[in-house]
Amino acid sequence: MKQKLWVFLIVIILIAAGCSSPTKTDKKDNQDKAENAQKSKAKYHRIISLMPSNTEILYQLGLGDDIVGVSTVDDYPKDVKHKQKFDAMKLNKEQLLKAKPDLIVAHESQKGMDGKVLQSLKDKGVKVIYVKDAKNLNEIYDTFKQIGKVTGRESQADTLVYDTKHRVEAVLKEVPKHEKKPSVFLEVSHEPEIYTAGKNTFFNYMLEELHAENSFKDVEGWKKVSKESIIKHHPDILVTTEGISRSDYLKVIRKRGGFENLEAVKKGRIEAVDGDKISRPGPRIDQGLAELRDAIYRNE
């Protein structure tokens, strides 16, 4: 929408500059020229994004039409369903080369998993950049700027940072006042093993921003935990980020022996949030924060 508005303003300026009584054909020609000029500013026109959050950033920077491929787990925005899919966990060199990318936006973890494949593409002239795993909001904003700089969309990236900051601030201002920080257990997955997020993760950071306490702040990173250890940590609220419904999560909890004695279960403090919105360090992070805030303080 912003790009269309920009094009419209350019057309108006061209008309005011000296085109008397322009015809519809003249207007169309001017609009096409403006669009082509904007397009030519982009440094890359065949982009492959191997991480959903980076894909969302590229779209927000107005580069959706330049994306030729995304990861197999990309699902937003809806337009990605029309893009070629690549298994980001096991990259295929020939498949990537066949897509003829001029830019690949990868995650820093892929240096270890598929570093040789990506390096071979770099050797053939393909630009490859690695985006690190953001652990706080400032690092998310740095990612916006990093991708904006590489793609020649610095001004759009600055605008995205500004807009996202203000939306996040609005969410945080609505955190209810409370005397004691609620203890929250964030369940990342429940099968085949139970996993949660400890300190030095973005999930832990979000809880701190929402003035809540991670019940597993005593562990580092993403950890497998037992049912017994969850009971021992006695969280006030249980929250799943798996993308399942609250009713489905409740069914999972009811099958766990001993959980019926948890205060969280007794008080019905079992919640579900959209895992994509809070796990993807991208433009929708304010929506994820809002969902998590509302889940934690639903009864406040």
Side-chain angles (χ1 to χ4, degrees):
M1 181 61 72
K2 290 183 179 178
Q3 182 174 332
K4 289 182 179 179
L5 179 58
W6 185 88
V7 172
F8 179 75
L9 291 174
I10 290 295
V11 173
I12 294 299
I13 292 170
L14 288 172
I15 292 172
C19 297
S20 60
S21 302
T23 64
K24 290 183 178 179
T25 302
D26 292 331
K27 290 181 180 180
K28 182 63 168 62
D29 289 341
N30 287 333
Q31 184 174 358
D32 288 342
K33 289 178 182 178
E35 289 177 345
N36 290 333
Q38 174 74 359
K39 188 75 172 178
S40 66
K41 291 181 180 179
K43 294 182 179 180
Y44 303 98
H45 302 290
R46 295 192 63 79
I47 304 171
I48 292 177
S49 174
L50 299 175
M51 186 177 176
S53 56
N54 294 337
T55 302
E56 294 188 26
I57 294 169
L58 288 164
Y59 268 92
Q60 284 294 314
L61 296 181
L63 294 165
D65 290 342
D66 295 298
I67 297 174
V68 297
V70 297
S71 76
T72 52
V73 295
D74 269 89
D75 57 9
Y76 188 89
K78 291 181 180 180
D79 184 62
V80 296
K81 67 182 179 182
H82 303 299
K83 307 294 183 179
Q84 185 175 352
K85 301 296 191 296
F86 297 89
D87 185 352
M89 301 299 291
K90 190 176 182 181
L91 295 178
N92 183 296
K93 177 182 175 181
E94 288 70 30
Q95 184 189 26
L96 288 167
L97 285 172
K98 191 174 181 180
K100 299 180 179 180
D102 51 15
L103 172 65
I104 295 177
V105 184
H107 186 260
E108 63 176 350
S109 64
Q110 290 170 311
K111 283 183 179 180
M113 295 189 300
D114 293 294
K116 291 183 179 180
V117 172
L118 293 171
Q119 183 60 49
S120 67
L121 268 75
K122 289 178 70 174
D123 293 341
K124 292 183 179 297
V126 179
K127 176 73 173 179
V128 178
I129 66 167
Y130 295 96
V131 178
K132 72 175 186 178
D133 191 24
K135 292 183 173 63
N136 57 56
L137 289 167
N138 285 332
E139 289 184 359
I140 290 180
Y141 304 145
D142 288 342
T143 298
F144 294 172
K145 293 178 180 179
Q146 176 191 4
I147 295 176
K149 183 176 182 180
V150 169
T151 58
R153 295 295 174 96
E154 290 96 335
S155 63
Q156 291 89 337
D158 288 341
T159 299
L160 182 57
V161 170
Y162 179 85
D163 290 344
T164 307
K165 277 185 177 180
H166 281 268
R167 292 197 303 270
V168 167
E169 288 171 2
V171 171
L172 297 180
K173 283 180 180 178
E174 295 300 319
V175 174
K177 293 182 179 180
H178 50 283
E179 295 181 2
K180 179 179 177 293
K181 288 184 178 181
S183 172
V184 181
F185 171 67
L186 286 179
E187 187 156 337
V188 180
S189 70
H190 74 274
E191 59 182 12
E193 304 288 348
I194 304 173
Y195 272 82
T196 192
K199 60 184 177 182
N200 292 323
T201 63
F202 188 62
F203 278 13
N204 185 80
Y205 171 80
M206 284 195 291
L207 288 174
E208 291 177 347
E209 288 293 292
L210 293 169
H211 304 298
E213 185 175 89
N214 185 351
S215 63
F216 275 87
K217 65 180 181 180
D218 57 333
V219 302
E220 180 86 21
W222 308 93
K223 290 292 183 180
K224 178 174 68 174
V225 295
S226 67
K227 291 180 288 187
E228 292 74 21
S229 65
I230 298 171
I231 294 172
K232 185 178 179 180
H233 283 76
H234 52 81
D236 299 316
I237 307 165
L238 305 174
V239 180
T240 177
T241 67
E242 289 185 87
I244 61 176
S245 67
R246 182 181 180 278
S247 59
D248 285 339
Y249 187 42
L250 184 57
K251 291 176 184 177
V252 172
I253 295 301
R254 284 173 174 168
K255 293 178 181 178
R256 294 176 180 169
F259 270 54
E260 67 276 5
N261 296 319
L262 282 174
E263 285 299 307
V265 176
K266 290 179 179 179
K267 295 180 178 179
R269 297 310 320 275
I270 300 170
E271 305 288 344
V273 297
D274 187 332
D276 287 346
K277 290 178 182 176
I278 68 169
S279 65
R280 296 179 182 178
R284 294 189 293 161
I285 195 60
D286 61 296
Q287 298 176 34
L289 270 171
E291 281 199 23
L292 187 56
R293 176 202 62 198
D294 294 344
I296 295 171
Y297 299 104
R298 197 174 305 282
N299 296 328
E300 293 291 326

